[in-house]
Amino acid sequence: MVLIKNSLKPRLVNVLRLFWLLAIAWYELGTFYHHVSSCPWPDDALLAHVPASIPQETSFRVPTHVLLVADPQILDHRSYPDRPPWLMRLSQFIVDLNIRKSWRAARRLHPDAVAFLGDMMDNGRVDMPDQEYNQYVRRFRSIFEADERLPTYYIPGNHDVGLGDSSPSYRFSEHALERYLSNFGPLNQRISIANHTVLLIDAPGLVDEDRERAAMGMSYIQWSESHPGRTIAFVRSFAENPSEGARPILITHVPLFRPDGTSCGPLRERGTIRQGSGLGYQNLLSPQASQFLLQSIRPAVIFSGDDHDYCEYVHTLPSTDTKRPSPPASIPEITVKSFSMAMGIRRPGYQLLSLLPPSSPTSRSFAHTPCLLPDQLGIYLSVYVPLLVLTLAILLLSNVWRSCTRHSSSNTRTSEWTSLSPDDTTDPDYDLPPPSAWRSKEFPRPGWSYTCTLPLCGRRRRLTVSTSGLVAGIVSFLWTGNKTRDDDARRRMSALQGFAVDVRDIAWAPVALFVGIAWWVW
């Protein structure tokens, strides 16, 4: 009797490979777009307050969308001085890749303007050669690549221009302010978006000014008169020439003062914002500087950064009109989450701001909402690591079982063998019909096909592309071990050799997909 051995198909390897491909596609790209699409602009909450008498076609019913991004703090080789160079480069690659994926997904929101709330670069304030700094800025702009026509605004953070005095081991550049001005624009700005006045202030400069002012015993008015062109004078000039209509929106890097232990709301990951200062930072503005901003600007809402975690707080501003007493004004402040996974939080985020032209000084003309991004560290630790351990365990056990049972089943006839003896009356089971059957009417070629003629090497060649050919090519590309000699070689392998081959056969496709996604978002 002549026996032919059917091909052993590595179903387990292919199932695991497919599972890994789906996991990589979702957790490295799909989940970012899902998070962004599940957090739309807060237009519904805003349009619900528009009077019905306003026509649908007017600009009072078309919101302007502003994307607020805080503390991306692009890393460089100084960010983690205790890490070896290879680990620092790996950390920088992972963080850059995460921010690129988040930004690529956030761009699908099609904002009308973008505002960065400071700390664009982790070490923009550090003393470094001009060439290195310029390369640092180019890297930031390549990560946050956007249409040149998109209005983009920046405010300085303490990591961009410094705050206070530096130390011999960590020296701030004397040209930090000049570099910031030449690459990111003015330190203080007064802009108009959808008929709203928006003030973007230099909070680190305000901290330094306030320390100098308090040390000299000068009032804010005296200081602004003797130091024109700085942040206090900028705020005073707005107080003397306030905007008409709706109250302004204030954007600052450093949050305003609040009592220690004040709750930040349910969206905060841990703790609260506490007053504190150190080398190059101050967690909150001083009580005096905070009151100076509140009384001079009287903003409708405040957006801040620096803390990296989300925080909601409502400031209370007493009325200053003694002739017409009124209840204290409530001014909400939103501290926006960091856009980076490397800032001590598990869920990065951003803030969406929708603006309508104010129809009256008291009408509601803005709405905002926080949005969260994927927990990249959680994906690595809670998805990839358990999946990797489970995959390795399954492959190891399957190869140990194969190695232990290969000798006991070598002389046993199973369904893996098909008899071609004329005396065997059992019906043969063919995997595919005879090749000639494909040319008969009983087995028509499914799907579409396209044929074209191309000149090649001086002769015209006919090229036919069909769905069956494409599917067969893809299956052949992804399927491994479908040859009898491969099955024989696999049977002769030890458990560890088979385990290594299976790991290789599973890993190459997910790794290739990961590299492809990284190349695409880069």
Side-chain angles (χ1 to χ4, degrees):
M1 179 181 292
V2 180
L3 297 177
I4 297 177
K5 184 181 178 184
N6 290 335
S7 173
L8 293 177
K9 297 178 175 63
R11 296 182 179 87
L12 177 62
V13 170
N14 286 291
V15 168
L16 291 175
R17 185 195 299 116
L18 178 61
F19 194 79
W20 269 101
L21 285 172
L22 295 175
I24 294 295
W26 174 254
Y27 287 108
E28 292 302 319
L29 199 60
T31 185
F32 288 85
Y33 289 92
H34 172 72
H35 276 76
V36 170
S37 62
S38 62
C39 187
W41 296 97
D43 294 346
D44 293 340
L46 186 59
L47 295 174
H49 295 81
V50 176
S53 58
I54 297 179
Q56 293 285 344
E57 297 79 9
T58 63
S59 61
F60 293 96
R61 288 186 176 273
V62 181
T64 298
H65 298 142
V66 182
L67 174 62
L68 303 178
V69 178
D71 303 277
Q73 284 190 222
I74 305 302
L75 306 180
D76 73 347
H77 63 277
R78 303 176 184 85
S79 297
Y80 300 105
D82 296 333
R83 296 184 181 181
W86 70 269
L87 184 56
M88 183 61 243
R89 286 193 292 270
L90 178 61
S91 303
Q92 183 176 308
F93 169 77
I94 292 175
V95 174
D96 281 9
L97 181 61
N98 171 263
I99 297 178
R100 287 178 185 273
K101 291 184 291 187
S102 298
W103 177 248
R104 179 176 283 270
R107 283 193 308 177
R108 293 175 64 91
L109 294 168
H110 304 293
D112 299 304
V114 178
F116 286 89
L117 276 60
D119 281 359
M120 279 69 74
M121 302 184 299
D122 191 37
N123 286 298
R125 62 189 174 182
V126 174
D127 188 17
M128 67 180 73
D130 291 339
Q131 182 179 1
E132 182 181 355
Y133 182 85
N134 293 333
Q135 184 178 1
Y136 204 175
V137 173
R138 285 195 298 269
R139 185 162 138 251
F140 167 81
R141 296 198 183 281
S142 71
I143 292 175
F144 289 97
E145 183 180 4
D147 192 331
E148 295 181 354
R149 296 170 295 180
L150 178 66
T152 305
Y153 306 98
Y154 304 92
I155 60 173
N158 54 302
H159 283 262
D160 300 314
V161 296
L163 189 153
D165 298 325
S166 58
S167 68
S169 60
Y170 191 77
R171 188 173 60 179
F172 299 158
S173 173
E174 298 177 356
H175 308 291
L177 285 176
E178 299 175 8
R179 288 171 169 172
Y180 179 89
L181 291 171
S182 62
N183 288 279
F184 297 102
L187 298 174
N188 299 287
Q189 300 181 67
R190 176 177 178 171
I191 61 176
S192 178
I193 304 178
N195 291 344
H196 284 264
T197 298
V198 182
L199 296 181
L200 302 96
I201 67 168
D202 172 18
L206 177 59
V207 171
D208 288 336
E209 275 192 89
D210 195 51
R211 291 174 180 174
E212 298 174 17
R213 179 201 62 80
M216 298 181 64
M218 300 174 65
S219 67
Y220 285 99
I221 296 178
Q222 293 173 331
W223 180 268
S224 63
E225 292 175 349
S226 58
H227 297 81
R230 300 182 68 178
T231 303
I232 292 179
F234 172 80
V235 175
R236 282 290 305 161
S237 67
F238 175 82
E240 295 172 357
N241 300 283
S243 59
E244 298 180 358
R247 288 157 56 189
I249 297 173
L250 175 62
I251 298 180
T252 171
H253 178 67
V254 181
L256 274 64
F257 178 81
R258 73 284 311 273
D260 281 346
T262 303
S263 173
C264 282
L267 295 182
R268 188 174 178 86
E269 294 189 14
R270 62 179 182 273
T272 185
I273 304 179
R274 298 182 180 275
Q275 180 62 283
S277 59
L279 177 61
Y281 77 91
Q282 182 169 306
N283 293 338
L284 297 170
L285 296 177
S286 67
Q288 297 79 12
S290 300
Q291 285 299 310
F292 168 68
L293 292 178
L294 294 174
Q295 294 174 359
S296 301
I297 300 175
R298 301 186 68 86
V301 64
I302 304 171
F303 294 102
S304 58
D306 187 59
D307 182 67
H308 302 165
D309 205 350
Y310 187 82
C311 186
E312 294 181 357
Y313 179 74
V314 178
H315 300 276
T316 301
L317 183 63
S319 174
T320 57
D321 191 348
T322 57
K323 296 181 180 180
R324 295 181 179 180
S326 60
S330 297
I331 304 175
E333 179 180 350
I334 306 300
T335 302
V336 182
K337 267 182 170 276
S338 170
F339 201 74
S340 171
M341 61 171 287
M343 295 297 111
I345 54 174
R346 296 295 294 268
R347 298 291 301 275
Y350 53 91
Q351 199 81 8
L352 298 180
L353 173 63
S354 294
L355 300 171
L356 283 176
S359 57
S360 68
T362 58
S363 64
R364 181 176 180 180
S365 56
F366 69 90
H368 56 86
T369 185
C371 296
L372 299 178
L373 291 166
D375 178 7
Q376 186 74 75
L377 185 60
I379 291 174
Y380 291 151
L381 298 180
S382 302
V383 178
Y384 289 161
V385 171
L387 183 58
L388 177 62
V389 172
L390 180 62
T391 300
L392 296 178
I394 292 175
L395 292 179
L396 184 59
L397 290 176
S398 66
N399 278 276
V400 170
W401 175 261
R402 175 190 56 78
S403 179
C404 294
T405 59
R406 63 181 176 179
H407 297 292
S408 61
S409 61
S410 59
N411 296 322
T412 304
R413 177 180 174 179
T414 65
S415 60
E416 296 175 354
W417 300 89
T418 301
S419 174
L420 295 184
S421 173
D423 299 329
D424 196 339
T425 59
T426 58
D427 295 332
D429 183 16
Y430 296 105
D431 290 337
L432 293 174
S436 60
W438 287 102
R439 296 193 291 271
S440 66
K441 295 181 179 180
E442 289 79 11
F443 296 92
R445 292 181 181 271
W448 57 266
S449 64
Y450 175 77
T451 303
C452 62
T453 304
L454 299 175
L456 184 63
C457 299
R459 300 181 60 183
R460 300 187 68 83
R461 305 283 185 174
R462 177 175 294 180
L463 177 65
T464 301
V465 180
S466 64
T467 51
S468 58
L470 288 176
V471 172
I474 295 174
V475 171
S476 177
F477 181 69
L478 293 178
W479 202 269
T480 59
N482 60 340
K483 296 181 180 179
T484 305
R485 61 176 179 270
D486 294 337
D487 298 333
D488 293 336
R490 187 181 294 270
R491 279 179 169 272
R492 290 193 296 269
M493 289 181 182
S494 66
L496 291 180
Q497 288 175 328
F499 171 76
V501 170
D502 288 344
V503 170
R504 180 204 63 189
D505 290 344
I506 291 175
W508 71 265
V511 170
L513 179 60
F514 179 86
V515 173
I517 292 175
W519 175 82
W520 183 64
V521 301
W522 215 264

